[in-house]
Amino acid sequence: MSDSLTRAEPVSSEPFAAQGVTITLAPPMARLSLRARDRATLEDLLGRKLPAKIGATAGEIACLGPDEWLLRSAQGAAIPLGEGLPLAVTEISERAVCLIVEGPRAAEVLMAGCPLDLELFASGRATRTIFETVEIILIRSGENRFEVEVWRSFAPWLQLALTTAAAQLR
Amino acid sequence: MSGFRLPQCGRIDRSRPVSFSFDGTVYQGYAGDTLASALLANGVMLLGRSFKYHRPRGVLGAGSEEPNALVSVTRGPGRFTPNLRATGVEIYGGLTASSQNRWPSLKTDLGAINDRLGMFLPAGFYNKTFMWPRSFWERLYEPAIRRMAGLGEAPTEIDPDHYGATYAHCDLLIVGAGPAGIDAALEASATSKRVILIDEQDEPGGGALADPALWPWLEESLKDLAAAPNITVLSRTTAFGYYHDNFIGAVERLTDHLPHPAAGLREKLWRIRAGEVILAQGAIERPLVFAGNDVPGVMLASAARTFLHRYGVAVGKRVALMAAHDSGWLDIFALARAGVAVAGIIDVRESVAAPLLTEAEQLGLTIHLGHSVIDVHGRLAVKGVTIARNNGAAAARLACDALLMAGGWTPSVHLWSHSKGSLAWRDELGAYVPDRANEQTRCVGACSGKWNFGSGLVLDALPTPRDPARIKAFVDFQNDVTARDIRLAVREGFKSIEHIKRYTTTGMATDQGKTSNLNGLQIASTALGLPVVDIGLTTFRPPYTPQTFGALAGHAKDALFQPTRKTTIDGWAEENGAVFELVAQWRRARYFPKAGEDMHAAVNRECRAVRASVGIFDASTLGKIEVVGPDAAEFLNRMYTNPWKALEPGRCRYGLLLKEDGFITDDGVSARLAPDRFHLTTTTGGAARVLNMMEDYLQTEWPDLNVWLTSTTEQWAVIALQGPLARKLLEPLVSGIDLSEQAFPHMAIREGTICGVPTRLFRVSFTGELGFEINVPAAYGRALWERLMADGAAYDITPYGTETMHVLRAEKGFIIVGQDTDGTVTPYDAGLDWAVGKKKPDFVGKRSLARPDIAAAGRKQLVGLLTDDPADVLEEGAQIVADPAQAIPMTMLGHVTSSYWSETLGRSIAFALVAGGQGRLGETLHIPMPDKVVTAKVSGMVFYDPAGARLNV
Amino acid sequence: MLLIHCPYCDEQRAELEFAYAGEAHIARPDDPAAMSDEDWQYYLFVRANPRGRHHERWRHTHGCGRFFNAVRDTLSDKFEVTYKAGEPRR
């Protein structure tokens, strides 16, 4: 993005490994908040299908609320802003970072502070929820892989909480 | 020596001897012993002193119901735990335990004078006696009483241990791994349910651990449970509370039973959500109420059986039984069969079931039916008992060194009661049993009132020929409440058990009356001549047993106590010596002292730099909301006090947000980026609140509006460049934006790039100087800051913090919502009339501005204050009066909200909320302080450059 | 900690994800300027606070973000039903 300015991440990108789980900072990605009362207006704008059910994902897009979708992509795709249309596209690429919690004991680590029943949280699901007092978006991107989106100023706390919980596994 | 280890029986591991110390003396026990069983095996009967009378006390029970044997355990510096029940402390090599509430020693305790004075320490004694003079209470009575009374010492050092926490989910949670709980788990093992079975003891089994006949079954069952993939068994785990919707709190003790230092977490908090809960908590045996029932060596019959079968310990060499229930007979038979001499069976009943009599005769035991113990001999240990016929005749003395009590059984309904399940009284049990459930839960086994221990007689106290007013027959052992105290409370007019409890403190100790509640109820019932159900039942509340603060805090300590939010530039501030302050959860740089500078010197230098050249400030914490959609302007017009529809894209406006009650709740400068897109800012602390309030209106009042709100606080790093040289510094770095005054005036926004990174560049000023707020994607904030610092060196660029920001804004008369306002200030009170769109038909809070009280004269209004002595800097919060000579209490006119030394003006400045303030311009007011009265004149709020000449350049 | 059924997510979620938002079905008047001081005061400050069945608002703040309505018994703390904002009073 810039020739002269370098990025700074809020947490170390050094992976953390414990018995049965690794915690890694995901590379930067583009994020957009997509909002519309009528899903079709967004689908027309983007030229792609959106998941209909809250909590579902379709490829790069997760449905977080009745009128809210989160698009995350590795490459920043140019998305039209849809000026004047009854919808909202908002750039939030740098609002959050993503911690990837992966391994057979990943769910156990997350349940240290997340009240969801992750055994019943199927692969492919995504939801906004909470880890102790910190809001997160949790995406299960594989049987043993969770992606945790967290606002950048909370990321150091969450990374410490997750690595502490992982180190405490017996 | 009264107790001893039996050669054969018990579940202890005799191949693993363990040495430990109690009150400095080293003893031997075996792996599997509790501190109580190991001390009893060593003949130690005296374990503590009671709360109020300092009476010698031994072990009453064998489990978590134990009220007497409270000890302290030290595991090294900071690892001191008081008030542990010796019956639950597992011994390990090097365990260091001590007794409590005694001085100078357990055997010779001077506090025991209270016991001699016991006649003068009835229920309510402290409330009745230490009434006057009033001043003596804090200085004399309370400290003295505190020293005399009480449990163990509170630890004074920081706890170095680590604690964990987790949530867990299951379809079925079973609390209690006795036979009933294990049966329930076995039944569920054949299903696909996720099952958690928790038990507070070191091994599952509950009552079965004290019944060798059940051991083969237990071993088989535990094997089956271990093999079942759907069952998790948690031992050493106490379910301490049952909360809404089958949410159960439990603490697992991980290392307290291991020699220290032990690796890993000390305890772990389990927050369990269960589909269904089965409570299998068993029942607790009831003591009997008679004179001397607290002498060390008097204990529950079931406890004696547990010590025998589980730990291989005889609680005495010659043991007597005082029974009102069949179960005690079975317990003493077990002791007799193990070779313990029996001094006799005393049963208050005139007749008992024939099989019991037959078995007692076969074992050669002496039986005294229709008798009661009326006195216990010995002070530090039982030496014998006096028994009498129930009609008082024919007293006899039996020599013994332990006396077992069998008073019947109380179902453990604690968690059931937490869940708000109802209870039903059962006369034949003399106890409350679970009735109607309030959650998806049921009780099984003894805690449901179903047991096979036989039957018994329910009575309040044993008959005695002695004057009941002159004997100490204990009901609540831990709080030293006697039957006499409860009868006294009734005589003094207390009728409800809730009142009797609070007056006598019965049931209010750390054991919550596990062994005493029902005896207390029965005594009150008899004294009042009312059935028990008419007296009520006290409420059980969590925790079931005391838990450590560490366990409840879990991982929420030290760095994990709560998040400290840091901006992307925070690291630079830290490396450059910033002093920080917390604002909401954010850590913000307050000032940047150079060597030798205090806060005032640093702030003065920072202020001078902004006014003279250029200052740089991290404003990233400001709340930001992107408002997008065709109805964006309409929405803002309804929310804010001022008009928004006509604001042109590329321009900014100050927005003032009221609550519907008309009071200021937030403010900020916002920009229109496009016809359908606004970039709002809020105060740092108000960000979440404002977004929530706006979402509320949008979703529930105006759901027809096509507009959406997104928090972008953390998307952008914001760097404020403020000062006359700001443009010079910025110009070479920016492309795509003409920075000239004509092209880019004050209160405008432009989009372009800075150092190749996209920016939303605001031309705004919270300082009164030419200023820019540079928004860049957060990841680039620090790099841009460093670039500006490097390039700005030529202009003497100076980083400044929140303190300087506050001074500079005050010089310009800008308020801080939450500091200069307090939730009772309207725009008119704050002098912000200009920000109210009077032609707008409606906005949030408008109608309230016309309420009579809001429009009334004499309201507190924000004004400036200039002290007569320019060197006097008022204290924020100081009260203001018109006449300092008036009598105290004075009539307060208001208070100082902001006050600073203004380096720019060479004098102090202040804001104040003053009654009728805007009508008092020029008036002298007085601020009485402890050492002097400060005088000040009411002024306008803009102290510097009122025409704004420095802005539009 | 309560379990609350979010009518938008159609799931029971932990109370931690939610925020209470006061009594339900108190609509902002269409024309506040036309209201008497007394009626406005009633709208602003007076709430039913019943013992028993209470209509109230919650927000699934740390979830789908939606405000919704609920009927909860203030004695037992139990939810009777939750329903979407804008739906008729239950």
Side-chain angles (χ1 to χ4, degrees):
Chain A
M1 195 181 249
S2 160
D3 298 333
S4 57
L5 297 185
T6 51
R7 295 180 56 89
E9 308 304 339
V11 295
S12 162
S13 52
E14 198 67 33
F16 175 91
Q19 196 70 39
V21 65
T22 59
I23 297 165
T24 320
L25 177 68
M29 61 182 115
R31 296 175 179 85
L32 287 174
S33 168
L34 309 175
R35 307 291 297 271
R37 201 185 316 280
D38 179 3
R39 195 169 76 250
T41 52
L42 273 171
E43 288 176 337
D44 288 349
L45 180 77
L46 302 176
R48 57 209 273 193
K49 281 281 176 198
L50 298 183
K53 194 172 171 358
I54 299 174
T57 58
E60 299 173 325
I61 303 178
C63 182
L64 298 179
D67 62 352
E68 182 184 5
W69 291 263
L70 173 68
L71 187 159
R72 305 186 312 148
S73 65
Q75 281 85 34
I79 299 267
L81 294 179
E83 277 192 32
L85 296 174
L87 52 79
V89 176
T90 305
E91 155 71 26
I92 48 168
S93 298
E94 302 294 346
R95 185 174 76 172
V97 298
C98 177
L99 296 171
I100 298 168
V101 184
E102 194 165 15
R105 301 187 76 177
E108 203 180 329
V109 168
L110 287 163
M111 280 170 64
C114 175
L116 289 181
D117 187 349
L118 296 183
E119 283 173 55
L120 305 184
F121 190 77
S123 187
R125 286 203 59 187
T127 184
R128 200 179 278 119
T129 181
I130 201 162
F131 187 98
E132 296 302 357
T133 60
V134 170
E135 183 178 290
I136 57 173
I137 293 170
L138 188 66
I139 300 154
R140 188 164 202 166
S141 48
E143 182 51 35
N144 289 328
R145 182 183 157 99
F146 293 85
E147 300 186 23
V148 186
E149 291 269 316
V150 60
W151 285 10
R152 43 191 311 132
S153 72
F154 292 106
W157 184 92
L158 186 68
Q159 189 189 50
L160 180 62
L162 292 174
T163 54
T164 302
Q168 288 172 349
L169 289 178
R170 278 175 291 148
Chain B
M1 180 125 160
S2 53
F4 61 95
R5 187 81 70 180
L6 295 167
Q8 297 299 331
C9 50
R11 297 174 66 84
I12 47 169
D13 184 351
R14 289 172 200 257
S15 68
R16 288 166 58 207
V18 168
S19 33
F20 65 97
S21 82
F22 178 67
D23 278 349
T25 305
V26 174
Y27 299 95
Q28 299 282 327
Y30 294 111
D33 260 326
T34 63
L35 180 61
S37 67
L39 286 173
L40 287 173
N42 281 281
V44 179
M45 298 296 271
L46 174 63
L47 268 73
R49 288 276 175 170
S50 71
F51 183 75
K52 179 170 154 187
Y53 299 124
H54 290 247
R55 283 170 70 98
R57 290 284 166 80
V59 174
L60 182 80
S64 59
E65 76 281 7
E66 173 61 34
N68 281 338
L70 300 183
V71 298
S72 302
V73 172
T74 301
R75 294 174 300 116
R79 294 185 162 95
F80 175 84
T81 312
N83 303 334
L84 291 168
R85 293 164 301 279
T87 50
V89 175
E90 297 172 49
I91 63 164
Y92 52 81
L95 169 73
T96 308
S98 54
S99 59
Q100 303 182 162
N101 203 29
R102 78 286 187 270
W103 187 85
S105 76
L106 189 54
K107 281 196 175 138
T108 313
D109 173 24
L110 293 181
I113 186 73
N114 279 6
D115 193 30
R116 305 281 179 223
L117 301 174
M119 298 309 289
F120 306 105
L121 292 167
F125 168 75
Y126 295 100
N127 317 40
K128 289 167 182 164
T129 310
F130 297 106
M131 298 280 287
W132 27 253
R134 256 184 106 109
S135 61
F136 277 34
W137 177 254
E138 265 180 37
R139 288 199 210 129
L140 182 64
Y141 297 148
E142 190 189 338
I145 293 168
R146 277 194 189 282
R147 267 199 300 280
M148 285 297 291
L151 302 165
E153 308 258 313
T156 52
E157 292 160 293
I158 289 175
D159 180 354
D161 277 316
H162 295 287
Y163 300 82
T166 192
Y167 287 95
H169 299 263
C170 61
D171 302 300
L172 174 63
L173 172 69
I174 303 166
V175 180
I182 288 173
D183 276 344
L186 288 172
E187 195 179 315
S189 67
T191 70
S192 60
K193 288 177 184 171
R194 293 179 294 168
V195 181
I196 299 177
L197 171 63
I198 61 182
D199 189 85
E200 64 179 341
Q201 303 210 54
D202 59 321
E203 57 173 331
L209 297 171
D211 190 347
L214 291 174
W215 290 356
W217 166 85
L218 179 60
E219 199 178 330
E220 270 315 296
S221 302
L222 293 179
K223 258 190 225 154
D224 291 346
L225 292 181
N230 62 329
I231 294 183
T232 306
V233 181
L234 296 174
S235 283
R236 295 190 180 94
T237 305
T238 300
F240 62 79
Y242 193 138
Y243 305 91
H244 288 299
D245 292 329
N246 277 1
F247 190 64
I248 280 82
V251 170
E252 182 182 14
R253 291 172 295 280
L254 296 166
T255 58
D256 272 8
H257 61 288
L258 301 173
H260 53 81
L265 302 173
R266 181 186 180 206
E267 294 178 326
K268 182 171 176 182
L269 176 69
W270 288 78
R271 297 167 282 187
I272 305 170
R273 183 77 71 175
E276 188 195 358
V277 176
I278 291 179
L279 296 173
Q281 291 189 282
I284 294 169
E285 193 169 28
R286 273 201 296 277
L288 288 162
V289 179
F290 55 92
N293 63 349
D294 68 325
V295 174
V298 181
M299 67 173 69
L300 299 174
S302 58
R305 189 209 304 228
T306 297
F307 286 118
L308 171 75
H309 282 317
R310 191 165 167 196
Y311 303 107
V313 173
V315 298
K317 295 194 167 167
R318 186 174 167 80
V319 181
L321 168 71
M322 177 66 240
H325 195 279
D326 296 348
S327 67
W329 292 62
L330 306 178
D331 296 328
I332 198 102
F333 294 162
L335 265 70
R337 274 190 228 103
V340 178
V342 172
I345 297 176
I346 309 114
D347 197 308
V348 68
R349 297 172 291 181
E350 295 293 338
S351 64
V352 299
L356 295 177
L357 295 174
T358 310
E359 186 158 3
E361 277 161 22
Q362 282 167 359
L363 288 163
L365 309 183
T366 319
I367 302 167
H368 308 271
L369 291 181
H371 278 71
S372 294
V373 171
I374 62 165
D375 203 5
V376 178
H377 308 289
R379 184 160 174 85
L380 300 180
V382 173
K383 291 183 177 141
V385 296
T386 298
I387 65 172
R389 287 278 325 164
N390 287 344
N391 61 15
R397 184 164 169 155
L398 306 180
C400 60
D401 58 2
L403 174 65
L404 313 188
M405 299 183 281
W409 292 83
T410 306
S412 282
V413 297
H414 303 77
L415 290 185
W416 172 267
S417 292
H418 296 174
S419 79
K420 300 204 165 64
S422 72
L423 298 169
W425 178 256
R426 292 260 300 275
D427 262 330
E428 76 279 16
L429 303 178
Y432 283 101
V433 296
D435 191 16
R436 285 184 315 278
N438 183 50
E439 299 274 2
Q440 281 295 328
T441 186
R442 61 196 162 96
C443 291
V444 298
C447 74
S448 65
K450 297 188 188 81
W451 51 63
N452 52 4
F453 317 140
S455 61
L457 177 68
V458 177
L459 73 176
D460 61 337
L462 291 180
T464 179
R466 302 167 65 190
D467 178 358
R470 302 195 68 84
I471 58 172
K472 280 210 184 89
F474 284 88
V475 177
D476 183 324
F477 292 84
Q478 197 168 104
N479 263 358
D480 266 352
V481 180
T482 63
R484 192 180 67 199
D485 294 324
I486 294 173
R487 293 188 192 111
L488 176 66
V490 169
R491 276 205 306 282
E492 293 186 358
F494 294 96
K495 289 195 168 65
S496 154
I497 195 64
E498 293 287 358
H499 295 145
I500 293 168
K501 163 184 160 178
R502 282 159 182 81
Y503 190 58
T504 62
T505 74
T506 189
M508 288 175 70
T510 66
D511 63 351
Q512 280 196 42
K514 289 186 178 65
T515 53
S516 65
N517 279 345
L518 288 175
N519 281 336
L521 264 181
Q522 289 288 359
I523 292 164
S525 162
T526 306
L528 283 161
L530 290 171
V532 166
V533 285
D534 288 356
I535 303 172
L537 178 68
T538 55
T539 312
F540 290 114
R541 294 194 178 83
Y544 170 70
T545 53
Q547 302 301 326
T548 65
F549 285 113
L552 298 183
H555 41 222
K557 67 173 214 165
D558 301 331
L560 286 178
F561 175 60
Q562 68 165 357
T564 299
R565 302 176 71 180
K566 294 175 186 171
T567 72
T568 174
I569 296 155
D570 178 275
W572 186 93
E574 183 169 303
E575 288 158 28
N576 285 274
V579 174
F580 292 96
E581 66 172 342
L582 287 175
V583 181
Q585 282 183 311
W586 288 100
R587 178 171 102 145
R588 302 193 72 182
R590 193 175 181 198
Y591 56 96
F592 293 83
K594 291 191 168 173
E597 280 184 338
D598 63 5
M599 182 174 91
H600 291 287
V603 169
N604 290 345
R605 173 180 49 75
E606 293 170 14
C607 286
R608 282 193 302 269
V610 174
R611 297 270 180 244
S613 54
V614 61
I616 183 169
F617 175 71
D618 180 6
S620 303
T621 64
L622 276 190
K624 299 171 232 14
I625 300 169
E626 197 141 317
V627 181
V628 184
D631 294 322
E634 172 64 28
F635 175 68
L636 295 183
N637 209 49
R638 295 185 193 185
M639 293 302 303
Y640 283 108
T641 57
N642 42 355
W644 287 81
K645 285 184 173 172
L647 185 70
E648 284 170 26
R651 297 306 304 243
C652 302
R653 180 157 287 175
Y654 174 75
L656 190 61
L657 189 68
L658 311 185
K659 288 197 294 180
E660 204 66 90
D661 58 15
F663 299 125
I664 296 170
T665 187
D666 205 78
D667 69 351
V669 169
S670 299
R672 190 167 200 170
L673 294 161
D676 63 347
R677 187 175 296 261
F678 288 82
H679 178 124
L680 262 53
T681 68
T682 73
T683 58
T684 295
R689 188 184 65 235
V690 169
L691 183 59
N692 185 67
M693 174 181 168
M694 288 187 170
E695 281 286 351
D696 192 348
Y697 278 92
L698 190 54
Q699 291 182 29
T700 65
E701 300 293 355
W702 308 314
D704 51 315
L705 292 184
N706 278 314
V707 55
W708 289 270
L709 313 173
T710 304
S711 170
T712 49
T713 303
E714 302 237 32
Q715 162 68 17
W716 303 101
V718 184
I719 299 172
L721 270 191
Q722 302 277 312
L725 303 182
R727 185 184 286 121
K728 266 194 187 162
L729 170 57
L730 200 54
E731 214 146 29
L733 304 177
V734 171
S735 26
I737 305 174
D738 179 350
L739 293 190
S740 69
E741 164 70 10
Q742 296 73 27
F744 190 13
H746 181 52
M747 293 299 268
I749 181 170
R750 297 291 181 266
E751 292 181 87
T753 59
I754 181 165
C755 302
V757 169
T759 181
R760 288 179 179 176
L761 186 60
F762 285 68
R763 183 159 169 213
V764 289
S765 172
F766 199 42
T767 61
E769 301 299 328
L770 168 68
F772 298 89
E773 289 185 1
I774 311 159
N775 287 248
V776 290
Y780 297 100
R782 173 148 186 187
L784 177 62
W785 177 281
E786 287 178 351
R787 178 69 186 273
L788 290 165
M789 284 301 297
D791 290 9
Y795 306 106
D796 187 27
I797 191 169
T798 301
Y800 66 96
T802 50
E803 192 65 25
T804 291
M805 179 267 282
H806 277 212
V807 176
L808 298 173
R809 64 90 197 177
E811 290 172 349
K812 284 293 292 180
F814 296 139
I815 64 162
I816 301 252
V817 172
Q819 174 167 342
D820 300 305
T821 70
D822 61 2
T824 67
V825 177
T826 70
Y828 302 137
D829 298 339
L832 295 169
D833 311 40
W834 58 268
V836 178
K838 306 198 180 46
K839 288 184 196 150
K840 286 170 66 173
D842 193 15
F843 55 79
V844 172
K846 179 177 167 75
R847 175 64 184 84
S848 289
L849 296 179
R851 291 177 62 225
D853 284 349
I854 301 296
R859 289 185 57 82
K860 284 186 183 168
Q861 294 169 323
L862 263 183
V863 291
L865 274 189
L866 290 170
T867 51
D868 290 349
D869 176 352
D872 258 337
V873 181
L874 291 167
E875 270 191 42
E876 289 173 356
Q879 295 291 321
I880 300 164
V881 302
D883 171 15
Q886 65 186 295
I888 292 173
M890 299 187 186
T891 302
M892 311 287 189
L893 294 179
H895 69 277
V896 178
T897 62
S898 290
S899 177
Y900 310 96
W901 170 257
S902 165
E903 180 73 356
T904 312
L905 301 169
R907 62 152 302 131
S908 70
I909 56 171
F911 297 162
L913 274 170
V914 177
Q918 284 153 19
R920 292 180 187 266
L921 290 182
E923 205 172 293
T924 295
L925 296 176
H926 305 268
I927 300 95
M929 299 304 293
D931 53 338
K932 63 178 175 183
V933 175
V934 182
T935 56
K937 285 201 179 52
V938 178
S939 75
M941 291 171 65
V942 185
F943 301 104
Y944 182 68
D945 186 25
R950 303 181 65 84
L951 279 176
N952 301 308
V953 291
Chain C
M1 183 173 59
L2 294 167
L3 276 178
I4 302 176
H5 178 262
C6 171
Y8 292 93
C9 299
D10 193 22
E11 258 192 278
Q12 293 234 306
R13 301 281 280 258
E15 186 184 345
L16 290 173
E17 292 184 356
F18 296 82
Y20 180 69
E23 190 175 334
H25 300 295
I26 299 178
R28 188 174 191 271
D30 287 338
D31 186 4
M35 293 179 79
S36 69
D37 285 334
E38 195 175 293
D39 287 349
W40 183 250
Q41 169 203 302
Y42 198 88
Y43 160 71
L44 275 187
F45 302 123
V46 181
R47 297 294 179 264
N49 195 26
R51 186 175 190 269
R53 218 166 168 265
H54 187 223
H55 290 77
E56 59 194 20
R57 305 190 318 143
W58 288 77
R59 184 180 180 207
H60 195 184
T61 312
H62 302 298
C64 68
R66 305 309 290 185
F67 284 85
F68 61 89
N69 295 328
V71 181
R72 189 179 56 97
D73 188 317
T74 57
L75 280 172
S76 69
D77 254 351
K78 285 187 192 298
F79 283 89
E80 179 184 310
V81 66
T82 58
Y83 52 101
K84 293 178 179 175
E87 287 181 6
R89 188 185 177 93
R90 298 287 177 91

